[in-house]
Amino acid sequence: DDDDDNDNDKTTIKKMYIEDAFSSAAKKLSQDKETAIRGGLLGTLVPQGYCRAQELDRACFEVPLGEIAGPIESDYGYHLLLVTERTNCPKLDGGYTRIIRGGENGKLATLAAPGKGDKTVQEETTEIALSQIGFWIATSLAGGLLAEVAAKAAGVIETLPFEDQVPFV
């Protein structure tokens, strides 16, 4: 009876979530050391023209979302491609922009539309740019104030610009 259980265990094929399977295979089999350690990841939401190989770059915007495509031949060798997230390709992807875990135990890939509150790449870029501008303005002001206080402490200047101001009454 125990032998039957062992035989069933050996013949049972374990299902893996597609990204996990792809990542695992890339880590073991990829000859590109740069992407192998990242599980084959080229990048996230990379613009067209990002990939070194034109064939691979073109395929990133032609392959259906969530399907493994290839082998794709380039000057760098042969590649398999899995697109897990893409924006601005409604003719190819419809209203979907990414694949997410679904099904029993999260082993199946499900196409998903942008969630409520998800930002476009342009909105995220604008938000990052504005936060960086704010950071550098605040840093400049703080640095200027610190320099003036240090100059007064060293005796280089007698009063700070804001010390001469009359308080509001």
Side-chain angles (χ1 to χ4, degrees):
D1 199 23
D2 288 334
D3 290 335
D4 289 338
D5 288 341
N6 288 337
D7 288 340
N8 287 337
D9 288 342
K10 290 177 185 175
T11 58
T12 301
I13 299 173
K14 291 185 177 181
K15 288 186 178 180
M16 288 181 77
Y17 178 58
I18 193 166
E19 281 185 87
D20 297 339
F22 191 88
S23 176
S24 177
K27 286 177 182 176
K28 290 178 189 172
L29 304 172
S30 179
Q31 294 178 358
D32 182 354
K33 301 302 177 206
E34 185 180 327
T35 59
I37 57 176
R38 296 190 315 254
L41 183 66
L42 293 174
T44 55
L45 294 175
V46 296
Q48 196 160 8
Y50 176 82
C51 297
R52 291 181 287 190
Q54 285 182 330
E55 301 85 0
L56 195 56
D57 191 63
R58 187 177 339 101
C60 287
F61 294 92
E62 293 175 353
V63 170
L65 196 60
E67 292 183 19
I68 295 178
I72 300 166
E73 185 178 6
S74 78
D75 292 340
Y76 300 96
Y78 291 91
H79 314 273
L80 295 178
L81 180 68
L82 170 65
V83 178
T84 59
E85 186 171 6
R86 176 173 43 216
T87 59
N88 302 325
C89 290
K91 288 183 181 175
L92 184 59
D93 301 326
Y96 303 112
T97 58
R98 59 197 161 106
I99 59 172
I100 58 171
R101 291 179 188 270
E104 186 178 324
N105 298 323
K107 304 269 183 191
L108 300 176
T110 306
L111 293 174
K116 250 186 181 177
D118 281 357
K119 297 175 183 156
T120 65
V121 174
Q122 184 177 7
E123 289 170 334
E124 286 181 2
T125 303
T126 302
E127 187 176 295
I128 291 169
L130 289 175
S131 68
Q132 286 294 310
I133 290 169
F135 170 79
W136 288 110
I137 288 172
T139 301
S140 297
L141 289 173
L145 287 172
L146 184 62
E148 288 182 0
V149 169
K152 183 178 180 189
V156 176
I157 59 174
E158 291 186 26
T159 61
L160 295 172
F162 52 85
E163 288 181 330
D164 292 337
Q165 295 179 359
V166 178
F168 291 107
V169 182

